[in-house]
Amino acid sequence: MGPLVLVAVAVLAPAIVAGVLRALVRTVVLLALAIAISVVVINVLFFPAGEQVLFRIGPITATAEGLAFALEVVARIVAISGAITLFYLTTTPAELTIDLERRGVPPRLAFVASSSVQTVPTMVDRAVAITAAQRARGLDTEGSIGARLRGIVPIVGPVILGAIGEVEKRTMALEARGFSRPGRRTLLWHPADSPLQRLARWLMVLAIPVFVLARAAGWLG
Amino acid sequence: MTDIRVEGLVHVYEGGVRALDGVDLAIGAGERVALIGQNGSGKTTLVRHFDGLLRPTSGRVLVGGVDAAERTVAQLAREVGLVFQDPDRQIFASTVRGEVEFGPRNLGLRGAALRSAVGEALAATGLEKAADLNPYDLGTSRRKLLALASVLAMGTAVVVLDEPTTGQDMRGMAIVEEIVGTVQAAGRTVIAISHDMRFVAERFERIVVMRQGRVVLDGSPSEVFAADHWETLRSTFVEPPLPAILGARLKLGATPTDRALVSALKSRG
Amino acid sequence: MLTVNGLSYRHAGALRPSLLDVDLVLGDGEVLGVIGANDSGKTTLCLVLAGLAPRIVGGTLSGRLSIDGVDAGSLRMHDLPALVGIGFDDPATQLSGVAATVFEEVAFGPANLGVPRDELIDRTANALEALAISHLAERDPARLSGGQQQLVAIASILALRPRHVVLDEPTAQLDPSGTALVGDALERLAGQGVSILVVEHKTDLLARIASRVVALDGGRVVLEGPAKEVLADPALVDLGVAPPSDVRLRRALVTALLDPTQLEGARA
């Protein structure tokens, strides 16, 4: 119950406000589906403390307690992946770098944080271009599963090789633009903030020890 | 024989960009055609329809008489080979030979036929001695030649080249020019996108000029680079080759190449 | 002024040096063209002049490079961008990856150098204007075409206001109009006293904007002199460099035993 309420309040509501609900749901389903399925299967069928039987398949007993437990775990997974996805969908690398730097994080660290977010779209673009080139050389991406699986190396290979090969070039380009100069960079703008958002952030941070204590004290069941 | 016919082709990208605005074109088997026009005029979008990487928003493309929409990319790749501009967005093998083998292997070549196709392609691009090297040990311009070799080895009836001469020095340029000749001599069609007007005027018998998703001129180099077309050419940021400009000013008729200008001057006496 | 004396450089692990005994002077307000076949050492020269070799790429350097009279070896890496700007031929890898808009991308360099905000905005706007890409200011740099990205990369260098600019095939991915734009911008820049070294295959462009040209072969300087002279030198062909169209055309006439001066009247 708890995780689901959390998801509704802290993930779905903001996602609707930010207009990313569809992308969020799609991504979370993709991320969490495999784990969710295995969690459900394993716990429904093999939960040791289960008593209320749902059905039997040979020696395997499916229990209601197992299902309840599984759903609880899945709810937590959804909460976590939902939160991460929401962050990724609503934060641009630029905003992240600037805000981190504004708060005193060294530029290099801030850069690492945000360029790892930027890596994904760049890699996707590369993969799309590479897929086109390989298909033009006869790689079959529309045929049998076997054919498509064989296609992984000619696509993933250049994506990774290319990314690694680019490291030196990118490093040089950054150095040539003064990236390693010690001291603060000039910031062009600050991400929009408001007293309300600041309050919300503080409330969220304070909520953590409150919830932890409440749970430990048994108030949340 | 594989000819390509384009009928009323319109292509609108996601996001609304109308890259092709009704193109009608017929390219016969064995022709040597150059596609020119400013960046964004639709040249790359057009050629990507020839092997099915892009599908028409409306209109149709017929490859070898068959509607491309009825074939998969893998099937069309047997007839239309497309060489992309950036070799680093396709190279994945650990040897040059391995890279060139990829295409023909996908088409089902094995054994002696495969070795022969690969050997010829390596020889044509001057890479035979580099066959066992790692592609990344070659410089960028030789990697471009490698990408070209990997498509040549597929033996497709149509070969499409996207900016084959950018970044090449004279040696690389000579290799590309020779390949255009030998490929066509073998009865195959060559289509090239290029900004190099000398290359285009000297090596291609037909030039198609594009602007904003349409074909605005289509003819031989003499026709296309004639003085009365200069305004159209400049509207798509194409500058006629120097011999054409000088020849027109000297009132020598159409002289798109050095050789044509020299001939015209000689016959003038 | 950039001066190079007896410069030799070998990449880490390479058998032979990429540059051998190079002497070069790049004066203020001058545009120096560098030509040569593809493995003649042109790119390596650019890396050395910008201080990236051996500092970032390793390798061994001998000889002297002095920037405005100061020995480059005594400078720290982050002092160099304000002195020597460098642009490469691959525009995509020059993007910082952390700029949401072209404006921020171009501002990245001077921002790193701690240029005050108002001046930063000024410089960035000027750099965009110099390359006629002000209309792209709010666009996502990752979503531009290769040619547009190259113009952004060059603008990013201009925003640093270096005294010297080194460009390695800046027009490789550009169509003729983009090439002309870059050529114009470089001419204007040289007019303001910036010294520019530009490596190019497009000898027509160099004929237009370069005052002097240097030819490299196997890491050595083999030709040097006024642009018109060097570009008309018959040795270019042996060096693997395509001569400019007018030189080529004139040569065709001479070979056919025709008088090349007939073309002079038409050139106006």
Side-chain angles (χ1 to χ4, degrees):
Chain A
M1 217 28 335
L4 288 177
V5 171
L6 198 60
V7 168
V9 168
V11 175
L12 291 179
I16 294 174
V17 170
V20 295
L21 187 63
R22 238 202 187 159
L24 182 93
V25 169
R26 217 177 17 198
T27 312
V28 170
V29 165
L30 272 175
L31 280 179
L33 195 61
I35 300 184
I37 291 177
S38 58
V39 162
V40 167
V41 166
I42 290 178
N43 283 290
V44 166
L45 298 181
F46 300 106
F47 197 64
E51 288 176 0
Q52 204 180 330
V53 175
L54 294 174
F55 58 85
R56 284 182 209 273
I57 310 172
I60 298 173
T61 316
T63 58
E65 285 83 357
L67 182 62
F69 181 73
L71 290 178
E72 216 187 286
V73 173
V74 170
R76 287 198 201 124
I77 293 175
V78 167
I80 296 173
S81 41
I84 295 175
T85 307
L86 181 64
F87 174 70
Y88 170 70
L89 286 172
T90 55
T91 313
T92 62
E95 284 173 325
L96 186 57
T97 333
I98 290 188
D99 205 55
L100 286 174
E101 280 185 60
R102 189 163 67 94
R103 293 167 197 279
V105 172
R108 278 187 151 165
L109 230 56
F111 178 81
V112 169
S114 59
S115 64
S116 38
V117 173
Q118 179 56 29
T119 303
V120 177
T122 312
M123 284 259 194
V124 169
D125 282 346
R126 279 193 84 83
V128 167
I130 288 165
T131 306
Q134 309 300 43
R135 288 174 80 196
R137 295 199 286 164
L139 183 73
D140 193 355
T141 57
E142 297 165 278
S144 65
I145 295 277
R148 292 195 221 187
L149 281 175
R150 272 196 298 277
I152 290 184
V153 168
I155 292 181
V156 171
V159 169
I160 296 182
L161 278 180
I164 295 178
E166 280 187 357
V167 169
E168 188 178 63
K169 281 191 189 179
R170 287 186 185 273
T171 309
M172 289 200 296
L174 287 171
E175 288 293 339
R177 292 164 76 189
F179 187 64
S180 61
R181 177 179 156 272
R184 292 278 202 108
R185 311 196 304 138
T186 313
L187 299 175
L188 268 180
W189 49 273
H190 297 172
D193 201 5
S194 65
L196 196 59
Q197 290 188 60
R198 228 166 309 175
L199 180 65
R201 284 200 299 273
W202 274 111
L203 283 178
M204 283 191 260
V205 171
L206 290 173
I208 297 175
V210 168
F211 276 121
V212 169
L213 284 172
R215 183 88 159 136
W219 295 340
L220 295 174
Chain B
M1 279 274 82
T2 311
D3 65 337
I4 296 184
R5 282 206 314 277
V6 176
E7 295 170 357
L9 184 59
V10 172
H11 190 86
V12 180
Y13 281 106
E14 250 186 58
V17 175
R18 200 178 175 86
L20 292 177
D21 193 19
V23 173
D24 292 296
L25 196 59
I27 299 177
E31 280 196 54
R32 251 177 315 175
V33 182
L35 264 182
I36 66 178
Q38 72 178 118
N39 281 354
S41 54
K43 314 184 296 283
T44 305
T45 307
L46 177 60
V47 301
R48 287 200 180 198
H49 281 86
F50 297 165
D51 68 353
L53 283 174
L54 288 178
R55 301 291 181 180
T57 306
S58 68
R60 58 180 197 158
V61 177
L62 297 145
V63 176
V66 176
D67 192 341
E70 291 165 26
R71 311 273 241 3
T72 64
V73 173
Q75 288 168 325
L76 287 166
R78 289 175 177 278
E79 303 197 52
V80 180
L82 180 44
V83 184
F84 286 68
Q85 237 185 316
D86 187 350
D88 295 340
R89 293 205 164 181
Q90 63 179 72
I91 293 178
F92 71 102
S94 46
T95 63
V96 163
R97 186 192 308 277
E99 187 65 32
V100 177
E101 280 180 357
F102 180 66
R105 260 183 192 282
N106 285 333
L107 297 189
L109 264 72
R110 297 286 185 272
L114 177 64
R115 274 196 300 278
S116 154
V118 169
E120 272 178 43
L122 287 175
T125 47
L127 292 170
E128 331 87 304
K129 299 226 178 75
D132 297 311
L133 291 180
N134 185 303
Y136 280 95
D137 286 335
L138 301 174
T140 322
S141 48
R142 290 190 86 199
R143 284 205 297 280
K144 275 194 79 145
L145 292 176
L146 172 56
L148 176 53
S150 68
V151 170
L152 281 181
M154 288 166 67
T156 51
V158 179
V159 176
V160 181
L161 308 167
D162 194 348
E163 298 281 0
T165 60
T166 24
Q168 295 291 358
D169 57 11
M170 264 183 74
R171 180 174 162 272
M173 178 87 76
I175 290 177
V176 171
E177 294 188 349
E178 198 176 319
I179 288 174
V180 170
T182 39
V183 166
Q184 199 226 9
R188 295 151 81 179
T189 311
V190 180
I191 302 173
I193 294 177
S194 182
H195 288 305
D196 185 336
M197 290 304 117
R198 182 206 57 84
F199 169 60
V200 155
E202 284 184 12
R203 300 290 160 173
F204 292 84
E205 62 212 8
R206 182 175 164 198
I207 301 178
V208 171
V209 184
M210 292 190 72
R211 183 184 69 204
Q212 290 171 334
R214 290 173 183 233
V215 172
V216 292
L217 282 175
D218 182 355
S220 69
S222 296
E223 289 163 4
V224 167
F225 291 130
D228 37 348
H229 291 145
W230 291 356
E231 208 183 305
T232 310
L233 291 175
R234 285 174 176 146
S235 73
T236 185
F237 292 102
V238 167
E239 191 56 28
L242 187 63
I245 297 179
L246 294 181
R249 293 211 184 117
L250 292 173
K251 306 224 185 320
L252 295 168
T255 54
T257 61
D258 292 358
R259 181 183 300 192
L261 183 58
V262 165
S263 293
L265 282 171
K266 270 196 164 150
S267 41
R268 187 171 70 168
Chain C
M1 182 146 97
L2 273 183
T3 334
V4 165
N5 278 324
L7 195 82
S8 297
Y9 175 83
R10 175 146 44 106
H11 281 284
L15 290 171
R16 280 166 316 169
S18 307
L19 291 175
L20 203 47
D21 225 14
V22 173
D23 292 319
L24 209 64
V25 175
L26 180 65
D28 295 334
E30 165 170 49
V31 178
L32 178 68
V34 176
I35 57 179
N38 275 337
D39 43 14
S40 54
K42 302 174 310 206
T43 299
T44 309
L45 179 62
C46 295
L47 294 179
V48 169
L49 292 175
L52 292 171
R55 264 176 254 248
I56 306 291
V57 299
T60 31
L61 182 72
S62 57
R64 237 177 87 93
L65 164 65
S66 69
I67 303 176
D68 293 331
V70 177
D71 181 21
S74 68
L75 296 168
R76 291 164 302 173
M77 184 69 230
H78 57 263
D79 289 327
L80 289 168
L83 295 170
V84 183
I86 179 163
F88 304 93
D89 57 349
D90 182 357
T93 49
Q94 292 180 93
L95 294 181
S96 65
V98 293
T101 63
V102 164
F103 196 89
E104 283 169 48
E105 180 64 38
V106 173
F108 181 72
N112 285 338
L113 298 186
V115 168
R117 195 163 169 273
D118 288 334
E119 197 193 324
L120 178 61
I121 294 178
D122 218 35
R123 283 199 196 186
T124 308
N126 287 341
L128 289 173
E129 234 180 83
L131 285 154
I133 50 171
S134 305
H135 63 288
L136 296 177
E138 295 304 311
R139 298 272 304 272
D140 177 0
R143 292 256 154 278
L144 300 176
S145 69
Q148 288 170 323
Q149 283 178 343
Q150 185 60 290
L151 294 175
V152 170
I154 298 175
S156 308
I157 302 167
L158 295 191
L160 284 163
R161 304 248 167 115
R163 303 280 312 277
H164 316 276
V165 173
V166 172
L167 296 171
D168 190 0
E169 295 194 44
T171 68
Q173 307 226 8
L174 302 182
D175 64 3
S177 67
T179 303
L181 255 173
V182 169
D184 292 340
L186 293 181
E187 275 182 314
R188 275 198 300 271
L189 207 57
Q192 291 164 12
V194 176
S195 53
I196 302 174
L197 182 143
V198 54
V199 172
E200 265 294 344
H201 283 292
K202 295 179 184 166
T203 42
D204 279 331
L205 176 65
L206 292 181
R208 211 188 96 202
I209 65 173
S211 46
R212 278 170 50 232
V213 168
V214 156
L216 293 182
D217 185 31
R220 291 176 191 272
V221 173
V222 293
L223 285 176
E224 196 208 329
K228 281 220 181 335
E229 265 176 45
V230 174
L231 293 174
D233 197 316
L236 247 57
V237 174
D238 300 315
L239 293 173
V241 177
S245 331
D246 61 343
V247 169
R248 209 191 58 229
L249 194 50
R250 224 181 309 138
R251 221 167 264 162
L253 262 72
V254 167
T255 314
L257 304 174
L258 293 168
D259 178 11
T261 58
Q262 314 175 56
L263 299 177
E264 298 311 313
R267 210 175 287 291

